[in-house]
């Protein structure tokens, strides 16, 4: 009887284990300039970020009051997920744009599946006009808008984190 109980418990526990399988993403290489315009693959507004970020993302709302009393305040929305933060700025005229961020979680994904844990060779395969570099830090700059992306790779060639600034 004891053997039967132990066997049943073992079967139940082993059937509940989670398998971590690699995520396959279809990569369609794009130019760097196109990536810089829409790095997340959607518009830079609050509703799209609410829908596109993983479950459990908290939203912190910071209000910036105008010095003139008749103006509506501007608002900064901070999307916080574990150790990552993405900020979106909303003006008094309801214009919204990406302010910046720092991403350290593999659940937050950019265009073509660019995420933490990605190999450097896979990263360069996401772009049509960007040749591989030996550096541990890859910096992409968009001179027209002033947006900058910094991608940090570890010694094994895996993406550790990335940070970015918004359009100026």
């Amino acid at each position: 009887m004891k053997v039967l109980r132990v066997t049943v418990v073992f079967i139940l526990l082993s059937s509940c284990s989670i398998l971590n399988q690699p995520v396959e993403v279809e990569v369609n290489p794009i130019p760097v300039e196109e990536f810089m315009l829409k790095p997340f693959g959607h518009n830079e507004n609050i509703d799209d970020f609410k829908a596109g970020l993983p479950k459990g993302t908290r939203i912190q709302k910071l209000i910036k009051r105008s010095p003139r009393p008749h103006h509506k305040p501007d608002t900064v929305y901070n999307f916080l997920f574990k150790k990552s933060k993405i900020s979106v700025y909303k003006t008094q005229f309801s214009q919204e744009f990406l302010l910046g961020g720092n991403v350290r979680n593999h659940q937050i994904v950019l265009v073509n599946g660019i995420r933490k844990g990605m190999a450097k060779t896979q990263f360069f395969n996401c772009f049509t006009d960007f040749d591989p570099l030996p550096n541990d830090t890859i910096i992409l700059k968009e001179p027209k808008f002033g947006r900058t992306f910094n991608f940090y790779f570890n010694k094994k060639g895996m993406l550790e984190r990335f940070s970015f600034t918004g359009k100026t």
Side-chain angles (χ1 to χ4, degrees), residues 97-119:
F97 57 91
L98 191 59
L99 193 59
N102 192 1
V103 177
R104 295 175 181 263
N105 300 92
H106 69 276
Q107 293 97 333
I108 299 176
V109 184
L110 298 175
V111 172
N112 280 336
I114 297 173
R115 66 174 71 210
K116 179 187 174 185
M118 172 181 235

Side-chain angles (χ1 to χ4, degrees), residues 45-56:
N45 59 43
I46 294 160
D47 292 333
D48 286 348
F49 274 102
K50 283 181 184 176
L53 291 175
K55 282 188 176 184

